[in-house]
Structure formats: C-alpha cells, structure tokens
Amino acid sequence: MAGVILPRAAWRHRPGLDVLADALGAGDGDARYVGGAVRDTLLGLDVADIDIATRHAPADVVDRLTRTGIRAIPTGIAHGTVTAISAGTVVEVTTLRQDVETDGRHATVAFTDDWRADAARRDFTINALYADPLTGAVFDYFGGLDDLAERRVRFIGNPYRRITEDHLRILRFFRFHARFGDVLDQPGLDACTDRANDLMALSRERVAAELLKLLVARNAVPVVALMIERGIFRPVLPEITDAAALAALAAREQAAGVAPDPIRRLATLIPPADAEAVGARLRLSNADRKRLVAASAGAGDEGARALAYRHGTTQAIDRLLVADASLDDIAEWTPPRLPIGGGEIVARGVARGPDVARVLRDVESQWIAEGFPDADRVGAIADAVTTQLVRAASNA
C-alpha cells in the first residue's frame, strides 16, 4: 500500500491548523499528524482529536508556538507533550520519543529525532501511522496500512514485551478490536490471555476508562464474550462471567433506536447486589454509581412515565431497557412539573408546616396515577385532598 495519501477530511481544514503545522516546521519534514486522526481518516470515520508528532524538543515547541502567537500549555512536558491552541483548534503536540524504562504503568522516555523509533514505542500498528500535513503522504513503519485494510489489531513487535511495558495494553487490545477489528490477531490474543493478571497492577480508574469505551464499541458483545472466555476480567472484575444479558440489552437498544450507553451495559454484566461495590472499585462518579445501582431495579409498577418523572428520563430508559420493557410511553415525552406549589395549598386553608408537604405529596401521587393531567384537574385534586385533611383535623 505504498504511496497512500491522507484524504482531505474536514478536520484538516480546521482554523489555525495550517499555521500550527507551519510553526512546527511541517514544510521541513519536522512535524506529522499521527495516531487516531490518521487511522480514522483512512477508515472514513469522523475525527475528534488531533495529534502532531514533531522532531523539536519540548522547550523548542513552546518557543515556536509562542512566537507565532499560538497558545502553548505544557500539559505533559516531562513526556514531551504540549497542548497547542491555534485559532480555537486544540492539538496535542508531542516530541518524538522512545521508552528508556517502563514498569507496566509508567515510562521514562528519551527524546529523539527518529520517526521509526517513535513509531516503535507505540502499541498497535494501526496507531503508528503518520501523515505529512502538507502533502498528506502517509508513513507506515510496521505494516499498519495492511492491518488497517484487513481490520486487524496487531501489536508492534513482541506482544508480551508491549504488555510488559504498559499493562493497560491488554484492555486496549480488546477495545480496539471491538471498535475496528474483523480479523483477530492470535498472537496478541494469546499474550493478553497469558498476562491477564498484570491488570491487577493498574489503577481501577484506568481499567474503568478502557472498559467503558469498550462497552460501546461496534463489536462490544462478542469481544466481551471472548474476554470472559479467556479469563481477562477475572483479576479485576471477577463479577463479569456472562455476556448473555449484555447481548440482549444491545439488541433492545438497537431495536429502540437508543444509543449504546456504557453504564447501562455494565449493569447487565454484574449481579445487581454487586453494583455498588463495583462502582466504588472502579471509582465511578457518584452519578454513574447511582445509575449503575438503579439500572437493574426493574420497570416499577406505576408505568414508564411515572418512572421518568420520579427518577429522570436517563434512569428510566436504563431500567426499562434492562427490564425488557417498552420505551414507547416516554419517547419524545418530557416529564412535566407539578402545576401547583405550597403557596396554593396554604391558600386552601392548610397551615404552613409539614401538612403542606404532606398534601403536596398526596396531590403529586394522584396526579401521577391519573397520567399527569392539566392544572385544572390538579386544582380539583388539591381541593379534595385539603378538604379531607381539614375534616380529619376537625374530627380529631
């Protein structure tokens, strides 16, 4: 696949990108696009993030950008990374580097001007593709173009060595295969299987980040099933033992036209009783932990709209899909606000205090049970509830 040229995709015309490339010496061959932007463009996919690799040392990068009026933020300068903001376009600029020492989680790097050496330290061949910003010429040092054409995720060099360098590459192998892969690379699969216990050395935040991305990939279901079969989850998430519920949920999401959601999908992989513990272990946000726990709580007995009103539309969709219940009643429906407040209850003769809240709760419950009628009907409900309260008080 020699002579491949990067298509003129929309992202290549973002404001300030040409100025940035020029400041980094693209015209002299000192800067190239790299990684996901190149890979995804060749696959015809939309590009979100742009990365540029450069021969210039980090301090020189900052100087060149600053002199050109481009904002330079030293986000990871010890590892050669500078975030550049040019006319609103954000680009990660990283100096060519090679790993000097690794421990499976962190790496000590040395900067270089050798493009092949920089490519050699990357994880997969499809992520080690570079492109000239001016001509679009693609540079491929390890057969990434062929692997991309065959949709195969393959480690650069010895898979065991690459995993030893960074244990997260085990999960990344499966995530990228779930997103891009059609042909399964057997040496990579065997290495990940043999080294699965290495995942125990990783922070659970890093595990969660990869897992949640994997769960919404196009081939998430068969890949998760493969990971279960190979014992990949056992060291860090032993609760995941069966992908059948995930497969059923994915089919329901597709049938309902609902986008895949990682928290909802994770909920189908773990026993409901373990949801809180797993959410805490993965350091999920409080909101995501709440969703994870609630997703398997069932559809409730008040109907879909009541569920959406009481718990929010997102949680209602989670619970209904996981429970194999219909979403029809909440499709294009926005939960309304109760059209009455405490002041109107007081105006009906209820003394300020806990009785007002009690009346509002009773009115709300009947309003929900009647299918969220309009304000006139709510007024009638409030009249009836307050009358009952006043009678009860007078008879006490």
Side-chain angles (χ1 to χ4, degrees):
M1 298 185 68
V4 173
I5 301 297
L6 193 69
R8 294 293 297 181
W11 66 269
R12 296 183 62 189
H13 303 282
R14 291 183 189 176
L17 190 56
D18 288 345
V19 175
L20 172 58
D22 183 63
L24 294 172
D28 298 322
D30 291 333
R32 296 174 182 171
Y33 299 129
V34 66
V38 179
R39 177 198 66 220
D40 291 355
T41 300
L42 291 171
L43 289 173
L45 303 175
D46 291 337
V47 168
D49 302 323
I50 303 173
D51 294 279
I52 290 180
T54 180
R55 286 173 168 157
H56 300 297
D60 191 19
V61 169
V62 172
D63 180 61
R64 282 171 167 266
L65 297 181
T66 302
R67 283 191 284 109
T68 312
I70 297 171
R71 186 182 177 193
I73 305 171
T75 45
I77 201 162
H79 285 82
T81 300
V82 175
T83 299
I85 304 177
S86 180
T89 296
V90 180
V91 177
E92 294 293 310
V93 180
T94 303
T95 301
L96 302 185
R97 61 194 186 185
Q98 52 191 347
D99 293 339
V100 175
E101 184 178 353
T102 60
D103 63 5
R105 293 175 298 173
H106 310 288
T108 301
V109 302
F111 302 122
T112 180
D113 62 358
D114 185 338
W115 293 101
R116 184 182 180 86
D118 184 76
R121 59 166 294 278
R122 297 177 182 270
D123 49 10
F124 309 115
T125 62
I126 62 173
N127 292 338
L129 298 171
Y130 302 75
D132 187 303
L134 302 184
T135 67
V138 174
F139 298 86
D140 176 18
Y141 299 96
F142 295 101
L145 288 170
D146 288 337
D147 287 332
L148 203 62
E150 295 185 25
R151 286 191 173 265
R152 175 176 53 215
V153 178
R154 183 169 60 88
F155 284 98
I156 295 173
N158 186 305
Y160 290 90
R161 177 178 177 183
R162 308 332 301 270
I163 291 169
T164 299
E165 292 167 348
D166 184 352
H167 305 322
L168 193 66
R169 287 171 174 166
I170 295 171
L171 295 182
R172 285 174 61 82
F173 174 82
F174 290 103
R175 173 165 73 88
F176 279 95
H177 181 64
R179 185 179 176 193
F180 301 114
D182 287 333
V183 176
L184 184 60
D185 184 67
Q186 195 64 41
L189 176 62
D190 290 342
C192 289
T193 303
D194 292 344
R195 303 304 306 177
N197 283 342
D198 291 350
L199 293 173
M200 296 174 67
L202 296 173
S203 72
R204 295 307 178 260
E205 291 93 337
R206 294 186 77 195
V207 171
E210 285 297 321
L211 175 60
L212 296 180
K213 292 175 184 176
L214 187 158
L215 288 176
V216 295
R218 69 183 181 106
N219 286 327
V221 173
V223 170
V224 167
L226 175 65
M227 294 171 73
I228 293 171
E229 176 189 332
R230 289 290 183 133
I232 304 299
F233 291 115
R234 196 174 301 126
V236 287
L237 287 167
E239 295 85 356
I240 299 179
T241 60
D242 192 342
L246 171 63
L249 172 64
R252 291 194 287 271
E253 287 173 335
Q254 184 175 18
V258 174
D261 182 272
I263 298 299
R264 184 192 309 133
R265 288 187 166 195
L266 178 60
T268 66
L269 289 172
I270 55 179
D274 294 328
E276 179 62 43
V278 169
R281 189 188 317 152
L282 295 177
R283 307 288 196 273
L284 299 181
S285 69
N286 289 337
D288 283 346
R289 286 164 66 175
K290 183 177 179 180
R291 280 186 63 200
L292 188 66
V293 171
S296 299
D301 54 11
E302 294 183 289
R305 290 190 172 183
L307 191 65
Y309 174 79
R310 292 189 184 280
H311 302 287
T313 302
T314 298
Q315 190 180 124
I317 291 172
D318 291 346
R319 289 174 60 172
L320 292 167
L321 284 173
V322 171
D324 194 13
S326 174
L327 299 181
D328 290 348
D329 284 347
I330 60 172
E332 300 182 6
W333 181 77
T334 302
R337 295 183 63 181
L338 179 65
I340 195 169
E344 292 159 289
I345 301 301
V346 171
R348 284 171 165 79
V350 178
R352 295 182 185 278
D355 281 345
V356 173
R358 182 176 138 203
V359 169
L360 280 174
R361 283 195 301 270
D362 290 345
V363 170
E364 183 182 48
S365 293
Q366 189 168 340
W367 176 62
I368 293 171
E370 292 186 14
F372 305 95
D374 62 19
D376 289 341
R377 175 55 188 157
V378 172
I381 295 171
D383 289 341
V385 173
T386 54
T387 297
Q388 290 176 346
L389 179 67
V390 171
R391 285 177 180 170
S394 64
N395 294 330

